[in-house]
Amino acid sequence: MWLINSSIGRKVVMSVTGIALILFLTFHCAMNIVALFSGEAYNMICELLGANWYAVVATLGLAALAVIHIVYAFILTAQNRRARGEERYAVTDRPAKVEWASQNMLVLGIIILLGLVLHLFNFWYNMMFAELFGIEGLTHAPGDGFGWIQETFSCPLFVALYVIWIAAIWMHLTHGFWSAMQTLGWNGKIWFCRWKMIGLIYTTLLMLGFLVVVLAFAFGIAPSLCCDGSECCEAAAACCLQ
């Protein structure tokens, strides 16, 4: 099948899966921004997207997209290295018009993959996985996504790691967005520059959304919940912990 055996086919698969993952990130960002305004509303969304059959199916589909995207990235990188042969060892200057991200997509991909593992451990494992397998003794209930956000970003180390992760995703997407459009043939002399600008603006706003959530919880700007799950001020929430 040409999607698997040909270089062009592999790039098409990379592009389609990449666009699908960007759409998921858009949904995820919109969901996270809800937490900036209401912890109750955010937890309602978490309950809706808990260990329900449709959420599990969607999670498996998302995981499949991510695995395919990552595997094909390594395949294409190895293929490009073989095609360049000994030339890859030659010391050459980076062409002026070649972006740093385009020459270091694999490095960015590895950073993003490590960040994904951390993110899955902090949230997916403690939420959907814990609910599916009945894990007990956790500091928050599986459906208390707001509590898990508060706990995660109260740790300066996690905040720093997430900021680095978000920066890596931004650099990856700013190149990957227009590259995907180019691979799918949605380009031209005029649209090539337009897609680059659209991709830059869109991915920047998207990553700023994630960054604002991280920093808002890190600096205590986000709302708080009382021990009964209702909205309350930060001082009241602190009393609930006593």
Side-chain angles (χ1 to χ4, degrees), residues 44-104:
M44 286 177 62
I45 297 174
C46 290
E47 289 288 345
L48 180 65
L49 300 177
N52 303 300
W53 70 267
Y54 50 84
V56 173
V57 170
T59 300
L60 292 175
L62 178 64
L65 286 173
V67 169
I68 292 172
H69 192 78
I70 293 168
V71 170
Y72 270 62
F74 279 100
I75 291 174
L76 286 171
T77 299
Q79 176 182 303
N80 292 336
R81 288 176 65 86
R82 286 196 302 269
R84 281 158 48 195
E86 295 298 326
E87 291 183 7
R88 68 177 183 271
Y89 298 108
V91 178
T92 58
D93 294 329
R94 180 171 62 89
K97 294 185 178 181
V98 177
E99 300 173 349
W100 182 90
S102 67
Q103 289 198 330
N104 295 275

Side-chain angles (χ1 to χ4, degrees), residues 118-124 126-127 139-140 144-162 165 213-214 217-218:
L118 175 65
H119 187 62
L120 290 175
F121 173 75
N122 284 334
F123 293 98
W124 180 79
N126 289 316
M127 297 176 70
T139 54
H140 301 281
D144 185 15
F146 192 82
W148 289 113
I149 293 180
Q150 287 181 310
E151 179 176 326
T152 299
F153 298 129
S154 65
C155 173
L157 176 59
F158 283 151
V159 172
L161 291 176
Y162 270 82
W165 187 38
V213 173
V214 172
F217 279 90

Side-chain angles (χ1 to χ4, degrees), residues 10-33:
R10 295 185 187 116
K11 289 181 179 179
V12 169
V13 173
M14 278 282 292
S15 299
V16 173
T17 54
I19 292 172
L21 291 172
I22 290 175
L23 292 176
F24 166 74
L25 286 175
T26 302
F27 166 78
H28 196 2
C29 181
M31 175 181 168
N32 284 2
I33 289 176

Side-chain angles (χ1 to χ4, degrees), residues 168-195:
I169 295 175
W170 176 80
M171 286 187 283
H172 187 81
L173 292 184
T174 51
H175 171 78
F177 188 96
W178 66 260
S179 180
M181 297 304 176
Q182 186 179 42
T183 297
L184 296 175
W186 298 338
N187 66 329
K189 292 183 178 179
I190 297 177
W191 274 99
F192 177 75
C193 293
R194 289 179 179 176
W195 279 126

